[in-house]
């Protein structure tokens, strides 16, 4: 395989990666708190000393560097549940993982478990700034509200505050596969820095029309790459045919 074929192959692999990410975005259009992803690529330039002309000395390949999150905020989606919250601004709710660690989410579905603890719709316990679950007294389960700064009120007094963690580099967050994210070096936001909206959750920030258009562009780019590959193959065949006639 010659250099031109390697370049086209690297391009097609990049397009496949883009298509996978775009398809995943489309599949999560209705996923609460989901942040669309974008493929991240890097150009790798290889210098060839023995190229016949100066312009052919540098060959550009495409390297896949993974994906980055689009941190833009989704729209407020009313649910009718007074305990559901949307983070208005940066940050993630802290959630206890089955292994006992901490994960993060923007999906603000909140309910009270049978044991009186605040948890997500998936049954994971929500944590306070000290990494502890928030427990509601049994006699006050029908008198629970959440204020703008994340304070959980039961009756006339507070019983805890929802922890919200911000990350300077969103790209350090990794999906767990259960709607949660994991990451390190987060910064716990104080009450004055936390702003929640209650009675609803944050919708996905995926724009279906944009993703559909992107998918069409990827398909056209792939078709162009395939045509170039076919043209190069025809050129090689003609060259071999002409060389076979020499002498």
């Amino acid at each position: 395989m010659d250099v031109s074929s390697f370049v086209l192959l690297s391009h097609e692999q990049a397009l496949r990666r883009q298509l996978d990410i775009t398809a995943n975005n489309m599949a999560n259009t209705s996923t609460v708190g989901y942040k669309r992803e974008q493929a991240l690529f890097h150009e790798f330039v290889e210098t060839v000393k023995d190229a016949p002309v100066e312009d052919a000395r540098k060959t550009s390949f495409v390297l896949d560097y993974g994906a980055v999150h689009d941190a833009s905020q989704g729209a407020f989606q009313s649910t009718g549940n007074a305990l559901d919250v949307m983070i208005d601004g940066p940050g993630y709710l802290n959630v206890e993982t089955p292994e006992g660690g901490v994960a993060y989410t923007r999906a603000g579905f909140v309910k009270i478990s049978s044991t009186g603890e605040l948890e997500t719709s998936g049954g994971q316990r929500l944590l306070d700034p000290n990494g502890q679950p928030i427990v509601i007294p049994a006699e006050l389960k029908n008198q629970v509200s959440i204020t703008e700064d994340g304070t959980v009120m039961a009756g006339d007094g507070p019983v805890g505050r929802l922890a919200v963690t911000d990350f300077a580099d969103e790209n350090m967050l990794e999906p767990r596969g259960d709607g949660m994210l994991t990451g390190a070096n987060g910064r716990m936001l104080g009450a004055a820095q936390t702003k929640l909206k209650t009675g609803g959750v944050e919708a996905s920030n995926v724009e279906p029309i944009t993703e559909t258009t992107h998918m069409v562009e990827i398909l056209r780019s792939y078709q162009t790459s395939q045509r170039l590959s076919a043209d190069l193959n025809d050129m090689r065949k003609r060259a071999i045919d002409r060389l076979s006639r020499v002498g």
Side-chain angles (χ1 to χ4, degrees), residues 127-148:
L127 303 176
D128 66 11
N130 296 317
Q132 299 300 313
I134 300 171
V135 182
I136 309 298
E139 67 277 9
L140 298 176
K141 284 186 178 181
N142 296 324
Q143 303 176 46
V144 180
S145 62
I146 299 175
T147 65
E148 186 179 83

Side-chain angles (χ1 to χ4, degrees), residues 12 37 50 81 163 167 171 177 191 208 225:
E12 289 169 9
E37 294 184 324
D50 300 328
N81 177 17
F167 292 86
N171 299 324
S225 182

Side-chain angles (χ1 to χ4, degrees), residues 16-86:
R16 179 179 177 178
R17 172 66 170 160
Q18 284 184 306
L19 185 61
D20 288 343
I21 291 175
T22 303
N24 185 58
N25 287 339
M26 291 286 287
N28 285 281
T29 300
S30 301
T31 301
V32 170
Y34 179 80
K35 300 296 184 183
R36 68 179 296 270
E37 294 184 324
Q38 303 176 74
L40 179 63
F41 299 104
H42 181 71
E43 182 184 30
F44 175 75
V45 179
E46 177 72 20
T47 302
V48 182
K49 295 181 180 179
D50 300 328
V53 294
E54 183 65 29
D55 290 345
R57 290 185 183 276
K58 291 184 177 181
T59 305
S60 176
F61 297 90
V62 179
L63 297 181
D64 180 6
Y65 263 45
V68 295
H69 297 282
D70 176 2
S72 61
Q73 187 165 297
F76 180 77
Q77 181 177 308
S78 178
T79 61
N81 177 17
L83 293 182
D84 288 343
V85 295
M86 168 184 165

Side-chain angles (χ1 to χ4, degrees), residues 207-218:
E207 294 289 345
I209 295 177
T210 301
E211 299 301 323
T212 302
T213 302
H214 191 205
M215 194 171 289
V216 172
E217 291 173 348
I218 293 170

